[in-house]
Amino acid sequence: MDKVIDYYFTPASPYAYLGHDRFVAIAAHHGARVGVYPVDIGRIFAVSGGVPLAQRPPQRLAYRLVELERWSRHLGIPINVPPKFAATPVAAASRWILAAAETGQRQGLDLAGALMRARWAEERDIADPATLAAVAAGLGQDASALAARAEDPELAARYEAATERAIAAQVFGSPWYVYAGEPFWGQDRLDFLDRALAK
């Protein structure tokens, strides 16, 4: 049976960053294809009851820091919370990821991982076109072609469509994985996804 996982995420999510490499490894281990869907998490929060960071109460914000530091130590993955460029938008980076995914699943996943690493570990501004180009070129991808494609109105429409697809799938957080109709929210559910793929 052809195994397909829909992967909904935003580069603005630290948990998507922490889980990305493990997710990619799990999908590869099971020979699964991945639908790469970067989404506008603000729009998803607006229809699903999610609360942006700036509106969360202090006790929730404090515990979020504890959890992120705990997972960072547990996984051995460096993270800066908050990152230096926490306030910069990620729509352009998301369009670049979609553009890369058009050339192949692996290219999209590789660029997603590299851009999240740039934001969360390397203190780089992934809203900056020069940073986007440098990250893509560092992977051996055609940065000029990706830049042109990412500015195509069709790519903006595809970003909107990915978000609408997520809303239709009842996604309310990032990362979110769907396999065989079963949802898995968060990188801490990757073991369950792994088991589902193994059946």
Side-chain angles (χ1 to χ4, degrees):
M1 182 183 75
D2 191 20
K3 298 179 178 180
V4 181
I5 309 164
D6 289 340
Y7 177 31
Y8 300 101
F9 66 97
T10 171
S13 166
Y15 288 110
Y17 159 64
L18 289 171
H20 184 79
D21 288 346
R22 282 182 298 138
F23 167 66
V24 171
I26 287 168
H29 175 74
H30 293 285
R33 290 190 295 114
V34 177
V36 181
Y37 298 109
V39 298
D40 181 344
I41 199 67
R43 283 190 56 212
I44 289 172
F45 280 174
V47 299
S48 65
V51 179
L53 277 180
Q55 298 174 23
R56 294 178 193 175
Q59 59 268 45
R60 287 183 176 269
L61 292 173
Y63 187 74
R64 175 178 178 269
L65 294 178
V66 171
E67 275 286 272
L68 287 171
E69 290 171 5
R70 180 182 291 147
W71 274 106
S72 174
R73 290 193 306 270
H74 175 67
L75 297 171
I77 297 175
I79 190 170
N80 296 304
V81 184
K84 182 177 180 180
F85 296 98
T88 59
V90 296
S94 297
R95 293 195 304 271
W96 276 66
I97 292 165
L98 283 170
E102 288 182 336
T103 68
Q105 167 188 305
R106 186 72 207 197
Q107 288 87 339
L109 291 171
D110 285 350
L111 186 58
L115 288 174
M116 286 191 279
R117 188 163 48 254
R119 178 184 176 90
W120 290 102
E122 299 168 358
E123 302 286 42
R124 298 167 76 182
D125 181 4
I126 63 171
D128 178 6
T131 299
L132 292 167
V135 171
L139 297 171
Q141 298 185 9
D142 187 338
S144 295
L146 291 176
R149 181 62 176 143
E151 291 303 312
D152 188 323
E154 183 186 351
L155 251 288
R158 287 193 58 220
Y159 180 46
E160 292 297 314
T163 302
E164 291 295 336
R165 181 188 176 101
I167 291 169
Q170 300 186 42
V171 171
F172 55 80
S174 170
W176 191 284
Y177 322 95
V178 179
Y179 171 64
E182 183 177 359
F184 302 84
W185 174 37
Q187 59 87 33
D188 50 344
R189 302 299 188 273
L190 281 171
D191 285 348
F192 290 104
L193 175 61
D194 189 17
R195 292 173 205 166
L197 287 160
K199 291 181 182 176

